[in-house]
Amino acid sequence: MPCSPARARELLRKGKAAVFRRYPFTIILKERDGGDSQPVAFKVDPGSKQTGVALVADFQHGKRVVWAGVLAHRGQQIKAALDSRRALRRGRRARHTRYRPARFANRRRPEGWLPPSLLSRVENIWTWFCRVNCACPLTGIAQELVKFDTQLLQNAEISGVEYQQGELAGYEVREYLLEKWGRQCAYCGAKDTPLEIEHIHPKSRGGTNRVSNLTLACHDCNQAKGTQTAAEWGHPEIQKHAKLPLKDAAAVNATRWALYNRLKRTGLKVEIGTGGRTKFNRTQQGYPKEHWIDAACVGESGERVYLKPDQPSLSITAAGHGSRQMCRTDKYGFPTRHRLRQKRHFGFQTGDRVKADVKLGKYAGRHVGRLACRATGRFDINTVKGKVTVKHSTCTTIHCSDGYTYTKGEKALSLPLAKARGISRQI
Ligand SMILES: [Zn+2]
């Protein structure tokens, strides 16, 4: 059962408990097993970039947040990695190499398939449910089951038949663009020249294929613009046409039922709340907007929850488990360097959180951070102050690599209670 930090410190000081795990901080009692426990609910507010997680215990005197975390996803990183792999493979197929048969027609996707970038969001939340469940017996789950209306997000006044007729009603994409941009280059106004479809916010920088992000440009303008946005290239009037992408809303929409079904598999009761209810609960109780506070306020059980807005929350960032690429290439795709088969060197692995006690040299001092492992035995440590290079013999593992990196929620720590209350009153 989660206890207060003061109690944990006392138990550790008296030698009645030992540190079991650093993240999430867990102690193990030496003298007894079992003991009293209260019902604890795992509450989650899924978002596209960040997900709030809170453990809410049901004590006699009311509900109270006993642990909170904010989980940052890596959906965009996964997409970028797959894009780069696809580009390399495409280039390789086009070169004069041995014949590789096309492999797109012999694939079948199982039911409920999600793209890897979306699946990772579901898996991250599931991983953390399991991790927390190991340390603390969970008795219930609450999830915000959001649905963003993507039509309504663009145009709040939309109604009736317009709902069914999107921007493309009656047009094909190309025809629509020709019509919209007056059959000329949007940048230089050139007519009677082959026009190319151009992304106002470039694809290479996360721009989407959404029609409002597309324009027409002649070949020269398209090349000259390169990876700049229209505004950066000196055409703010065209930038205005590019609406905000809906990919964040789409990511949450696409994963909400997958997450719900996954959580239901635990056999625990899954409580569902809408986004509107979460916000209502939060503002009624005068809490500021934080992902973990939203999580605590999800659903009916979030109507009365005691929490301190300045209590620390654990910032969890999904970092992955490294890549499987054995051969790194230069920018043209030619192999330049190879990786060793083994991941562990001198008992360490990239991603471990370590402390190093360096006696001599440029980096003398104590350092704590994430390790980048090298076969030479000279490791890099990413600390808060920057990167340091240390010898393996000075390092001690604090927390083994588990696919996530951690920082204490600095924002949550520095927010004074009085100020937080003030903000909420204005809402
Ligand atoms: Zn042009």
Side-chain angles (χ1 to χ4, degrees), residues 244-348:
L244 284 176
L246 300 169
K247 58 184 175 182
D248 286 340
V252 177
N253 273 351
T255 51
R256 68 206 163 106
W257 285 109
L259 178 64
Y260 175 73
N261 288 331
R262 181 65 72 88
L263 292 174
K264 233 172 62 172
R265 255 196 255 160
T266 58
L268 297 175
K269 190 175 169 285
V270 183
E271 187 194 345
I272 289 175
T274 62
R277 179 157 209 173
T278 304
K279 190 173 180 193
F280 177 77
N281 287 345
R282 177 165 55 77
T283 47
Q284 282 292 306
Q285 297 175 87
Y287 294 138
K289 164 84 186 147
E290 295 279 347
H291 288 286
W292 65 270
I293 294 178
D294 267 349
C297 293
V298 164
E300 201 184 333
S301 61
E303 270 170 16
R304 282 194 73 77
V305 176
Y306 178 73
L307 58 87
K308 287 186 194 153
D310 59 347
Q311 82 185 54
S313 64
L314 183 65
S315 288
I316 309 159
T317 308
H321 294 274
S323 95
R324 289 198 297 169
Q325 197 176 33
M326 300 306 283
C327 168
R328 299 287 157 90
T329 64
D330 62 14
K331 64 177 178 175
Y332 305 108
F334 288 102
T336 51
R337 52 208 188 277
H338 295 267
R339 209 178 68 182
L340 289 175
R341 235 161 229 291
Q342 98 200 54
K343 248 183 169 181
R344 296 192 75 84
H345 300 286
F346 305 98
F348 296 95

Side-chain angles (χ1 to χ4, degrees), residues 23 70-75 77-78 120 123-125 127-128 131 315-323 343-344 349-353 370-371 399-406:
Y23 302 101
V70 177
L71 177 55
H73 299 294
R74 55 191 290 271
Q77 274 165 274
I78 291 174
S120 87
E123 297 287 355
N124 286 343
I125 299 171
T127 300
W128 276 88
R131 281 186 189 176
S315 288
I316 309 159
T317 308
H321 294 274
S323 95
K343 248 183 169 181
R344 296 192 75 84
Q349 180 180 331
T350 297
D352 287 350
R353 195 168 169 80
R370 187 175 192 266
L371 186 89
H399 187 77
C400 285
S401 166
D402 61 0
Y404 295 86
T405 55
Y406 307 93

Side-chain angles (χ1 to χ4, degrees), residues 36 49 98 104 142 154 161 164 183 200 202 239 332 356 403:
D36 287 343
K49 292 198 177 88
R98 74 173 168 83
F104 62 91
Q154 290 176 57
V161 76
Q164 288 148 38
R183 292 170 197 276
I200 298 175
Q239 188 74 44
Y332 305 108

Side-chain angles (χ1 to χ4, degrees), residues 173-203:
V173 175
R174 269 155 215 279
E175 201 52 43
Y176 172 79
L177 288 176
L178 285 168
E179 195 84 342
K180 181 178 175 184
W181 297 99
R183 292 170 197 276
Q184 60 183 14
C185 171
Y187 296 102
C188 69
K191 284 182 181 176
D192 303 321
T193 170
L195 293 172
E196 295 170 354
I197 290 183
E198 206 270 336
H199 293 81
I200 298 175
H201 186 83
K203 253 194 115 178

